[in-house]
């Protein structure tokens, strides 16, 4: 590989990492316009392993926006990111896959320190964890998700 190809690969990895981080921030902040913007026009998301829906990202966004109302406080932690770039004979291609683990502590509505409030004074009372598979495509706007799949491994609900 040449230094130019090496630099392009590093830049792609950084850009892909930014899209994955942007996903976590958009979901945690409830920024559904930002969430939609992370997908290609034909992008899809699959939350079925977590009891959710699978379908076009625009439809899944509506489902997420409604579902996440139950959790006014949430914090996505996406770690152990394994990025695989398409290899075109030593040059980076226009597709990539990321496998990454997640832990997602959240608070249910009305479970603050004072029953009936939504304050964040208490500990999270819902945890979900598992692995994401992100498929990405290079577009004119940069890297975007063509598919997001949640593989939930466990969850815990406490009172």
């Amino acid at each position: 590989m040449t230094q130019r190809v090496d630099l392009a690969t590093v830049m792609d990895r950084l850009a892909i990492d930014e899209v994955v981080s942007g996903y976590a921030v958009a979901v945690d902040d409830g920024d559904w316009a930002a969430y939609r913007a992370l997908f290609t026009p034909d992008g899809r998301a699959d939350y079925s392993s977590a009891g959710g829906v699978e379908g076009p990202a625009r439809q899944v966004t509506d489902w997420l926006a409604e579902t996440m109302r139950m959790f006014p406080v949430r914090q996505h932690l996406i770690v152990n990111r394994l990025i695989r770039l398409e290899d075109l004979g030593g040059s980076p291609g226009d597709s990539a896959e990321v496998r990454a683990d997640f832990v997602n502590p959240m608070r249910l509505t009305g479970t603050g320190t004072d029953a009936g409030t939504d304050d964040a004074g208490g500990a999270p009372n819902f945890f979900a964890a598992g692995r994401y598979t992100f498929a990405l495509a290079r577009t004119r706007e940069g890297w975007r998700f063509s598919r997001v799949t949640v593989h939930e491994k466990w969850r815990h609900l406490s009172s």
Side-chain angles (χ1 to χ4, degrees):
M1 268 196 222
T2 67
Q3 284 183 329
R4 187 174 300 221
V5 171
D6 287 343
L7 179 58
T9 300
V10 169
M11 297 302 291
D12 282 338
R13 288 179 174 280
L14 289 171
I16 289 167
D17 190 68
E18 187 170 332
V19 174
V20 171
S21 293
Y23 170 89
V25 170
V27 171
D28 290 346
D29 291 352
D31 187 345
W32 305 117
Y35 177 89
R36 272 190 216 96
L38 295 170
F39 286 85
T40 61
D42 61 345
R44 299 183 69 81
D46 182 354
Y47 292 85
S48 58
S49 79
V53 300
E54 187 280 332
R58 289 195 168 279
Q59 291 176 359
V60 172
T61 303
D62 295 340
W63 171 81
L64 268 176
E66 184 62 32
T67 301
M68 289 297 111
R69 288 181 185 199
M70 290 188 299
F71 305 102
V73 179
R74 50 193 179 264
Q75 183 177 18
H76 244 96
L77 305 172
I78 302 179
V79 299
N80 301 334
R81 300 170 193 212
L82 181 60
I83 299 172
R84 300 275 190 225
L85 286 165
E86 177 184 28
D87 184 352
L88 299 177
S91 297
D94 293 333
S95 65
E97 182 178 278
V98 179
R99 287 185 4 192
D101 296 330
F102 72 88
V103 176
N104 188 6
M106 298 184 284
R107 294 205 39 81
L108 287 162
T109 301
T111 57
T113 55
D114 186 12
T117 68
D118 292 338
D119 73 27
N125 53 11
F126 183 86
F127 290 86
R131 178 167 289 159
Y132 282 112
T133 302
F134 298 105
L136 295 100
R138 188 191 313 269
T139 71
R140 288 184 178 157
E141 294 79 32
W143 287 96
R144 296 292 184 266
F145 295 127
S146 56
R147 184 157 187 90
V148 172
T149 305
V150 175
H151 309 278
E152 187 177 87
K153 294 184 178 183
W154 63 268
R155 64 174 56 183
H156 175 73
L157 179 63
S158 64
S159 53

